[in-house]
């Protein structure tokens, strides 16, 4: 079953850009050449984004491959496909990986068991509010927003996984 998604490399040092392309090429089994542009939110860094098509689970494999570089800031999305929700995986230097299930319209989905667990573990309203904020990825979105808006209007590359 094929699906699609987007890779957003929000900031990368120029020296690791070829390594990023090599890692993506290994997962997609095709040569990847991204269009790198300056990242105004991080002088001296570059940014790129690419839409991809591949098998289910490709988004997670792409994120795992990129996670090797601790200074890389990126997001990988995988769109929903028949019988499977979508997901978004974000990595920000110095923070743990953040991963969430996504609906077809891009909303973060929190399952009922996760909600029950959060309610039980955080009895005060303030603690629960903070835990829900973390589960929704608000801290990641806040940190990435300047990098996202700096890339508005940038060229998007299409990548296709070779079967």
């Amino acid at each position: 079953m094929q699906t699609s998604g987007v890779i957003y490399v929000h900031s990368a040092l120029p020296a690791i850009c070829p390594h990023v392309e090599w890692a993506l090429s290994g997962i997609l089994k095709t040569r990847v050449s991204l269009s790198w542009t300056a990242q105004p939110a991080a002088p001296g860094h570059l940014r790129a984004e690419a839409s991809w098509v591949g098998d289910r689970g490709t988004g997670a494999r792409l994120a795992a491959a990129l996670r090797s570089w601790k200074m890389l800031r990126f997001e990988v999305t995988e769109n929903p496909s028949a019988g499977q929700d979508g997901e978004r995986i974000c990595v920000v230097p110095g923070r743990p990986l953040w991963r969430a299930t996504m609906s077809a319209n891009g909303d973060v989905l929190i399952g009922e068991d996760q909600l029950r667990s959060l309610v039980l573990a955080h009895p005060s309203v303030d603690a629960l509010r903070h835990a829900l904020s973390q589960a929704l990825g608000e801290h990641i979105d806040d940190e990435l927003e300047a990098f996202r808006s700096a890339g508005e209007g940038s060229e998007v590359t299409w990548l296709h996984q070779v079967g």
Side-chain angles (χ1 to χ4, degrees):
M1 179 76 52
Q2 293 260 292
T3 188
S4 61
V6 182
I7 304 161
Y8 302 94
V9 179
H10 292 298
S11 67
L13 293 169
I16 65 167
C17 294
H19 300 284
V20 167
E21 291 176 352
W22 176 80
L24 298 176
S25 295
I27 301 300
L28 296 171
K29 297 178 178 60
T30 187
R31 187 174 186 282
V32 171
S33 181
L34 299 175
S35 296
W36 296 96
T37 59
Q39 173 50 276
H45 286 73
L46 299 175
R47 65 167 317 283
E49 60 186 75
S51 295
W52 59 268
V53 174
D55 295 333
R56 287 180 177 176
T58 297
R61 288 189 297 279
L62 292 167
L66 294 180
R67 200 169 168 206
S68 301
W69 295 280
K70 303 296 182 207
M71 74 295 286
L72 195 64
R73 182 178 279 107
F74 68 90
E75 291 179 79
V76 176
T77 65
E78 181 166 315
N79 295 325
S81 57
Q84 181 173 310
D85 292 322
E87 72 176 339
R88 182 165 59 119
I89 302 166
C90 301
V91 172
V92 173
R95 292 188 178 263
L97 175 141
W98 180 82
R99 183 178 196 167
T101 303
M102 304 297 291
S103 69
N105 70 347
D107 286 343
V108 173
L109 300 177
I110 301 175
E112 64 181 271
D113 286 338
Q114 186 179 2
L115 281 173
R116 283 188 187 101
S117 176
L118 289 172
V119 169
L120 289 173
H122 302 90
S124 77
V125 172
D126 287 340
L128 180 58
R129 185 177 290 126
H130 178 72
L132 287 170
S133 173
Q134 295 288 306
L136 291 170
E138 290 176 2
H139 61 297
I140 295 293
D141 284 335
D142 289 346
E143 192 158 341
L144 289 177
E145 197 53 41
F147 294 89
R148 291 174 181 146
S149 61
E152 288 178 5
S154 296
E155 182 179 334
V156 178
T157 304
W158 273 93
L159 308 174
H160 295 272
Q161 185 175 28
V162 176

